[in-house]
Amino acid sequence: MPKPSEETNTTVLESMLKGKTLKVYWYMLQQPSRSVGVREIQRALRFSSPSVALHHLEKLEDLGLVQKR
């Protein structure tokens, strides 16, 4: 059985990792051998602007799932 702090972390991840943020994360997981840029994500996922892609990348970074290079 997970510890309470692990349960809390899992709950937070589940609540934050949905919609476009989940799409960005899934896209990045499919590109494991290289870095992925903001514009690439914007174009691949057909977001309206790079700032939308950046917003979701920053959410993933805040969750500790990705890091800048």
Side-chain angles (χ1 to χ4, degrees):
M1 180 173 244
K3 297 177 185 175
S5 62
E6 290 176 9
E7 284 183 23
T8 302
N9 290 339
T10 301
T11 303
V12 169
L13 278 175
E14 288 174 352
S15 69
M16 298 294 288
L17 198 55
K18 58 185 174 185
K20 289 182 179 180
T21 306
L22 179 59
K23 286 181 180 182
V24 170
Y25 188 55
W26 185 247
Y27 181 79
M28 294 181 75
L29 288 175
Q30 294 174 336
Q31 319 298 324
S33 61
R34 63 185 183 88
S35 296
V36 179
V38 173
R39 290 236 183 231
E40 178 183 346
I41 290 171
Q42 178 218 348
R43 291 176 182 141
L45 300 179
R46 298 182 176 181
F47 291 161
S48 59
S49 70
S51 63
V52 174
L54 180 61
H55 169 74
H56 294 288
L57 283 168
E58 288 172 343
K59 282 177 72 173
L60 291 170
E61 187 176 17
D62 290 344
L63 292 170
L65 297 173
V66 300
Q67 58 184 349
K68 291 182 182 180
R69 287 190 178 190

